[in-house]
Amino acid sequence: MRHVIALDVGGTGMKAALVGPDGELLHRDRRATGRDRGPDAVVTAILDFAAELQAYGAQHLGEPASAAGLAVPGIVDEQAGVAVYSANLGWRDVPLRTLLADRLGIPVALGHDVRTGGLAEGRLGAGRGADRYFFVALGTGIAGGFGLDGRVEPGAHGFAGEIGHVVVRPQGAPCPCGQRGCLERYASAAAVSEAWAKASGAPDADAADCAKAVTSGDPNAVRVWGDAVAALADGLVTALTLLDPRVLIIGGGLAEAGSVLFDPLREAVERRVTFQKLPTIVPAELGDTAGCLGAGLLAQDLLKTTTTAEVTP
């Protein structure tokens, strides 16, 4: 069966799949990145994992993969195929596309993990049918991707969508990026976990615990959660003012709180809108498969581009 390799590389683990032409996941697997052994070991782990997937496809699906898509965190130059920087993985200027293409002998596409997840949500998930949407992932940090007519805009330098570093509280908490008051210092899962651990006096408490406490009416939890929702609404209104999306898609760990997040968030955004058009605010649909599905789409798009170039006079 004609298929592609899809790899979604995170800070500690890798999710992978062999993806069919209609987006079906024909085979799935997971591995550790091995980041404790250093950045070179992570690159080796990616190449070895991809080679194993290629062999699996050849043995079980009748033919080897036609292309591969790779989604990685950090700053990514998608056109050059270079992983420019990742604090979690410790690499700088790694030519991943070339390395993987040389190892597998097939075309390879490289993408940013959140933008790639946003691509999948736009075509296969919560953004289906929307010509313009903004996907936001609320995880350890916060990042986003602006979908436009079936693609996600990377920006001139690969920095587009970094809504987590929009300043929502001027002169607020310092951020590792060098600014103060960034959105992800207030509304990421990590920020909510930190604030709730302090408020509850339980060092191991996290954002999920805070959401549960909100449903039980704990006043401290309501305050912590409300502060996060207010900051998130401020950041989202900035995004919709600039981008005018038809749909706002919210994913990541914090979105798993469901109505505990979405009910007050929709109200908070609506209160802040003046002249702007209020978009539909919906939860992401694809969960942790979004990255793999998006990487598969990148690979399939690459094949379509290659085929078109071959038949164009």
Side-chain angles (χ1 to χ4, degrees):
M1 177 179 288
R2 188 171 175 85
H3 63 278
V4 297
I5 294 168
L7 271 166
D8 178 19
V9 179
T12 58
M14 297 183 283
K15 296 183 285 289
L18 299 179
V19 184
D22 296 320
E24 65 269 39
L25 298 175
L26 305 172
H27 170 68
R28 298 172 67 180
D29 202 352
R30 292 175 183 254
R31 296 287 166 82
T33 60
R35 68 172 183 172
D36 54 313
R37 299 192 301 274
D40 291 340
V42 176
V43 174
T44 299
I46 292 170
L47 300 181
D48 289 348
F49 195 13
E52 290 177 28
L53 292 162
Q54 185 180 47
Y56 182 96
Q59 181 178 354
H60 295 278
L61 300 178
E63 63 179 39
S66 304
L70 176 61
V72 298
I75 298 169
V76 182
D77 186 334
E78 296 169 2
Q79 284 196 327
V82 175
V84 177
Y85 174 71
S86 172
N88 286 334
L89 296 176
W91 59 32
R92 288 181 181 272
D93 299 321
V94 181
L96 277 175
R97 185 175 66 197
T98 297
L99 292 172
L100 192 55
D102 288 347
R103 178 67 177 270
L104 302 180
I106 56 177
V108 173
L110 180 69
H112 179 273
D113 57 350
V114 173
R115 289 197 294 268
T116 301
L119 178 67
E121 284 290 348
R123 292 197 200 170
L124 305 173
R128 286 187 308 276
D131 57 344
R132 289 169 176 80
Y133 63 90
F134 192 58
F135 169 71
V136 180
L138 306 174
T140 303
I142 298 178
F146 180 54
L148 176 63
D149 292 332
R151 65 181 185 86
V152 175
E153 172 57 47
H157 308 94
F159 285 65
E162 292 294 341
I163 188 175
H165 297 289
V166 168
V167 174
V168 294
R169 300 291 179 264
Q171 304 307 312
C175 179
C177 79
Q179 300 184 118
R180 301 183 71 92
C182 288
L183 175 61
E184 70 176 41
R185 293 295 295 118
Y186 297 91
S188 64
V192 174
S193 295
E194 181 182 343
W196 177 234
K198 183 177 180 180
S200 65
D204 296 328
D206 61 14
D209 297 323
C210 185
K212 291 175 185 175
V214 169
T215 62
S216 67
D218 184 298
N220 283 330
V222 171
R223 174 182 56 80
V224 168
W225 197 259
D227 289 345
V229 168
L232 180 57
D234 289 339
L236 291 178
V237 169
T238 297
L240 68 90
T241 302
L242 291 171
L243 302 173
D244 187 27
R246 209 170 300 281
V247 181
L248 275 172
I249 305 169
I250 311 296
L254 210 61
E256 293 176 6
S259 61
V260 176
L261 174 67
F262 284 92
D263 288 351
L265 180 61
R266 291 185 181 108
E267 293 174 5
V269 171
E270 186 171 2
R271 285 198 305 270
R272 286 161 172 76
V273 165
T274 55
F275 67 90
Q276 305 95 332
K277 281 288 187 180
L278 187 67
T280 304
I281 302 176
V282 298
E285 292 182 1
L286 302 177
D288 69 355
T289 65
C292 275
L293 287 169
L297 289 171
L298 290 178
Q300 289 163 351
D301 287 353
L302 187 60
L303 285 176
K304 292 174 186 175
T305 303
T306 302
T307 302
T308 301
E310 287 173 351
V311 300
T312 300

